[in-house]
Amino acid sequence: MASPDSRQSAAAPVLDKDGVRLTVEDAVATVTLTNPAKRNAQSPALWRALTEAGRALPGSVRVVVLRGEGKSFSAGLDRQAFTPEGFDGEPSFLDLARGADDVLDATIAEYQEAFTWWRRSDIVSVAAVQGHAIGAGFQLALACDLRIVADDVQFAMRETSLGLVPDLTGTHPLVSLVGYARALEICATGRFVHADEAERFGLANVVVPGDQLDGTARDLAAALLAAPRDAVIETKALLQGVSGRSYEEQRAAERAAQARRLRDLAGLGD
């Protein structure tokens, strides 16, 4: 039987650079972090590659699975970013801190783009997470719609412990999933959240043994593809909008969405 990694790489990559590989098979795309020797530590080059992967998705893709090779999903930001020399061809974070405010803001916004496209309305994203998912790794898992985790998973938001804040779009989904008080405690202490707690708090949709992680992700992708695409898109948009609507506004949004679906099913759509 083929190994999980060989199955994932069977399709010719659409993109394979800077620690990121994108493969597409029919309606399912797989984005793999491919630097297990460094526990898939993240860098600006990796973030640009993730952004490029999102832009490279064919229109036929409905589900995107995010995974990491090796024992860890992602151990977070590569600490080389904080050295005076930084990464080759990149300004160090120390140099960015000494620069103009607008440049620093624009640079962080560019980094954040790697974390934003996973919640696009036309796809459902699934993070398959094992081992360490720390800092930027935790935030990348949080960027996805759904999370399947191995029983050895260790989530941690370590930025505050380093004198920083989580700035890669992870604070909004974290609060939405676990509530303000729990999110503050997780971020301020930097402690590990293990699999049983992650499932109990809603950070994980399901916990499975590590050797079942890829198979469970494939099964979930197949289940997500069973419903008509437009119905999934409308449902996702309804659920994403709940926090910004009153109860009555949500009722109206449901009616409008259902009217569109009924007209489409009756062949009366635009």
Side-chain angles (χ1 to χ4, degrees):
M1 181 179 292
S3 68
D5 282 355
S6 66
R7 284 194 295 267
Q8 293 292 347
S9 60
V14 175
L15 178 145
D16 195 352
K17 62 187 294 187
D18 296 323
V20 174
R21 182 173 63 242
L22 167 65
T23 57
V24 178
E25 187 172 354
D26 300 322
V28 180
T30 302
V31 177
T32 304
L33 306 180
T34 60
N35 191 5
K38 296 193 74 170
R39 294 193 299 164
N40 298 311
Q42 299 182 31
S43 67
L46 181 141
W47 294 333
R48 285 192 291 271
L50 284 174
T51 300
E52 187 175 343
R55 293 171 180 168
L57 288 180
S60 59
V61 168
R62 294 180 54 189
V63 177
V64 181
V65 176
L66 170 64
R67 57 188 298 277
E69 289 182 346
K71 294 182 178 180
S72 291
F73 175 75
S74 175
L77 179 64
D78 191 324
R79 295 294 183 88
Q80 187 175 337
F82 293 104
T83 62
E85 60 273 14
F87 301 101
D88 289 343
E90 303 273 358
S92 74
F93 281 21
L94 300 177
D95 289 337
L96 286 171
R98 298 185 185 103
D101 289 347
D102 58 341
V103 174
L104 180 57
D105 182 76
T107 301
I108 297 173
E110 178 189 353
Y111 297 160
Q112 289 176 328
E113 290 181 16
F115 296 76
T116 58
W117 63 266
W118 304 92
R119 290 180 181 266
R120 278 170 28 186
S121 62
D122 60 323
I123 60 171
V124 177
S125 55
V126 180
V129 188
Q130 81 283 3
H132 290 99
I134 297 174
F138 190 8
Q139 294 187 77
L140 187 56
L142 287 168
C144 292
D145 296 307
L146 308 173
R147 279 155 299 283
I148 300 168
V149 307
D151 52 13
D152 68 345
V153 78
Q154 297 182 64
F155 290 117
M157 201 73 84
R158 288 292 177 83
E159 286 84 350
T160 308
S161 304
L162 299 172
L164 302 169
V165 300
D167 67 334
L168 296 172
T169 79
T171 56
H172 191 284
L174 182 61
V175 171
S176 297
L177 288 166
V178 306
Y180 160 75
R182 185 75 65 184
L184 176 60
E185 179 253 327
I186 288 171
C187 291
T189 65
R191 69 174 179 86
F192 285 116
V193 178
H194 297 277
D196 57 345
E197 189 179 13
E199 186 174 33
R200 190 166 68 250
F201 292 164
L203 288 171
N205 292 83
V206 64
V207 177
V208 298
D211 60 359
Q212 297 179 20
L213 190 62
D214 284 332
T216 303
R218 287 193 297 273
D219 290 345
L220 179 55
L224 292 167
L225 293 174
R229 180 172 196 164
D230 288 346
V232 174
I233 290 173
E234 290 274 15
T235 300
K236 181 174 178 177
L238 273 174
L239 296 174
Q240 285 181 318
V242 165
S243 61
R245 300 188 189 109
S246 67
Y247 178 77
E248 291 301 325
E249 289 169 338
Q250 185 68 9
R251 287 182 60 203
E254 290 174 0
R255 294 195 300 272
Q258 192 70 301
R260 287 191 294 271
R261 297 306 313 128
L262 289 170
R263 291 193 182 100
D264 283 347
L265 292 173
L268 302 174
D270 293 338

